[in-house]
Each structure stands twice: as C-alpha cells, then as structure tokens.
Amino acid sequence: AQKVTQAQTEISVVEKEDVTLDCVYETRDTTYYLFWYKQPPSGELVFLIRRNSFDEQNEISGRYSWNFQKSTSSFNFTITASQVVDSAVYFCALSAYNTDKLIFGTGTRLQVFP
Amino acid sequence: DAGVTQSPTHLIKTRGQQVTLRCSPKSGHDTVSWYQQALGQGPQFIFQYYEEEERQRGNFPDRFSGHQFPNYSSELNVNALLLGDSALYLCASSYRQGTSTDTQYFGPGTRLTVL
C-alpha cells in the first residue's frame, strides 16, 4: 500500500527564518513520482515540484529547495528566508508510475509571522 | 493561458439531494481527475476521465459518478447526498503521455455544504 506521512501538523516561524517541511512516504513500487503542492487560503492547490524515483538530485528553485533521499524514503522541502506570503498548507503527494492517482499526506500548515 | 476553472464556487444542498459540479481543464490538457478534500485533510482521489471514459477510480461509492465531454470538460455528480459529503471538491487536469499523465494542475475547487 502507498502512504504519505507529514508528521508536522503546524509550524510557526518569524519572517526570514528558514523552515523545513518533512515528508516520509511508503511504496513497494520501484518507479514512482513525488510532488509538493501549496494550498493558500483561497483553496487552490499550486504545483511546486515533481520528482521521479530515479532522480535523487536535490533541487533548488529560488528560496525553495528539496532533499530527496530514497534510503530514508523522505522528500523534504525547505524554504529559505521565509516570507509572510509563504503562509499556506503544504502537501506532499505520491503516485505510482502507471497510475495518476495522487496519494496525499495530511498537510503541514505553515504560518509565517512578520 | 487560462488555468483550470470550476463552477460553482460554493454550493449548499440538503441531505438526499443531487449535485453536479463542473470543471474546464487547462488549455492543452485532455485528462481530468476529481478529488474530495474534507476539512483538515489531504485530497482523496475520486476518479479520472480520459477520452470520455472513467479510467481510474478511488474508494468512493457509486453515488459518485462523472462524465467527460468531447471538449475535455468534465462533470462530477453526487446522488443521495450525505452530511459526510460536505467537502472541497477539486478538479485537476493534465496531459496524457503514454500510460500515465504529466503533472496534475488543480482548479480553485467547489465547496459543497450538505445540511
């Protein structure tokens, strides 16, 4: 069975702090995809990143970076120098190669205070 | 370039009624997936439509049905509404590549309240 665990329910930081959101996944598939989505108060899920299971290179996009480690089944997301606009619920998700069904974690609510 | 659109934004129904939610995919996308997101939870996959057929289905009862039109837009129908059907319903579109599709992009959702 596939499962995504986001153990951090809520995180509060002050602007300019760095913050890491944890994601641990379970799957028996050898080929799979991992995702991060952001859900602001408006409700729309905003796509942030997609990685396949064969690409363990870390990725950096502006203030965002992702650390994928197959050895620990983790796909963690770090925001550097957080801003108030980063306040949202962040979801980690998993899908197998031959299915488009996304399995989501329960999300981590990030609050960035000025 | 228009993103995924959904209508209506909000909807209030009573138990036992039927509801239809609508979704227009992002330009260039041909696949539509529907998700249900209960308050405080992650989205749960309902089903996916491609070439006007249901291709994959999550663990939802037959009260949940859908349709895809030739222009790739889609409808989600829920019959005999229950209080537990109250949720945010999200539509996601993507482009099919081989046996699986590219990244799914989500619409703003329809918030359904069942009284």
Side-chain angles (χ1 to χ4, degrees):
Chain A
Q2 296 182 318
K3 184 179 179 182
V4 174
T5 300
Q6 295 180 255
Q8 303 153 309
T9 304
E10 188 163 339
I11 300 175
S12 295
V13 299
V14 177
E15 240 183 346
K16 298 184 181 178
E17 283 187 36
D18 298 347
V19 58
T20 296
L21 309 182
D22 297 333
C23 173
V24 174
Y25 62 92
E26 296 175 30
T27 182
R28 295 181 179 178
D29 298 312
T30 55
T31 304
Y32 51 88
Y33 295 98
L34 293 165
F35 303 80
W36 276 94
Y37 285 88
K38 172 183 179 180
Q39 188 173 43
S42 61
E44 180 173 347
L45 281 168
V46 178
F47 167 74
L48 296 177
I49 190 170
R50 163 185 164 132
R51 301 305 298 271
N52 72 53
S53 52
F54 295 110
D55 183 3
E56 285 192 73
Q57 281 192 341
N58 292 332
E59 182 158 337
I60 298 175
S61 176
R63 297 184 296 106
Y64 296 170
S65 63
W66 290 270
N67 183 356
F68 176 26
Q69 292 192 344
K70 287 180 74 172
S71 60
T72 56
S73 297
S74 65
F75 186 43
N76 296 336
F77 172 32
T78 297
I79 301 175
T80 302
S82 59
Q83 300 176 2
V84 173
V85 293
D86 295 327
S87 297
V89 180
Y90 290 85
F91 288 96
C92 180
L94 165 72
S95 74
Y97 175 71
N98 61 350
T99 176
D100 302 312
K101 174 183 176 181
L102 287 172
I103 307 295
F104 285 86
T106 51
T108 297
R109 179 178 299 279
L110 173 65
Q111 294 195 34
V112 182
F113 294 98
Chain B
D1 180 22
V4 180
T5 60
Q6 292 186 242
S7 63
T9 306
H10 295 87
L11 206 50
I12 299 175
K13 292 286 188 178
T14 57
R15 280 178 296 176
Q17 285 189 313
Q18 178 264 344
V19 68
T20 298
L21 310 182
R22 296 177 176 82
C23 170
S24 290
K26 185 179 169 68
S27 178
H29 287 180
D30 56 6
T31 302
V32 173
S33 302
W34 286 92
Y35 291 80
Q36 179 195 66
Q37 185 179 16
L39 200 61
Q41 300 296 316
Q44 300 287 319
F45 177 78
I46 302 175
F47 44 52
Q48 182 186 74
Y49 277 82
Y50 170 66
E51 290 186 332
E52 302 179 47
E53 290 188 16
E54 183 182 295
R55 299 292 178 170
Q56 299 177 46
R57 190 177 182 93
N59 189 24
F60 279 80
D62 292 344
R63 298 186 298 108
F64 290 77
S65 63
H67 188 77
Q68 185 180 35
F69 300 93
N71 66 353
Y72 309 120
S73 67
S74 176
E75 288 182 349
L76 164 65
N77 300 292
V78 186
N79 295 321
L81 284 167
L82 304 174
L83 295 180
D85 295 331
S86 295
L88 180 67
Y89 287 85
L90 293 162
C91 169
S93 75
S94 52
Y95 174 69
R96 195 160 193 86
Q97 297 178 348
T99 57
S100 65
T101 58
D102 204 347
T103 298
Q104 295 178 41
Y105 292 86
F106 286 79
T110 294
R111 184 161 298 281
L112 172 65
T113 301
V114 182
L115 302 176

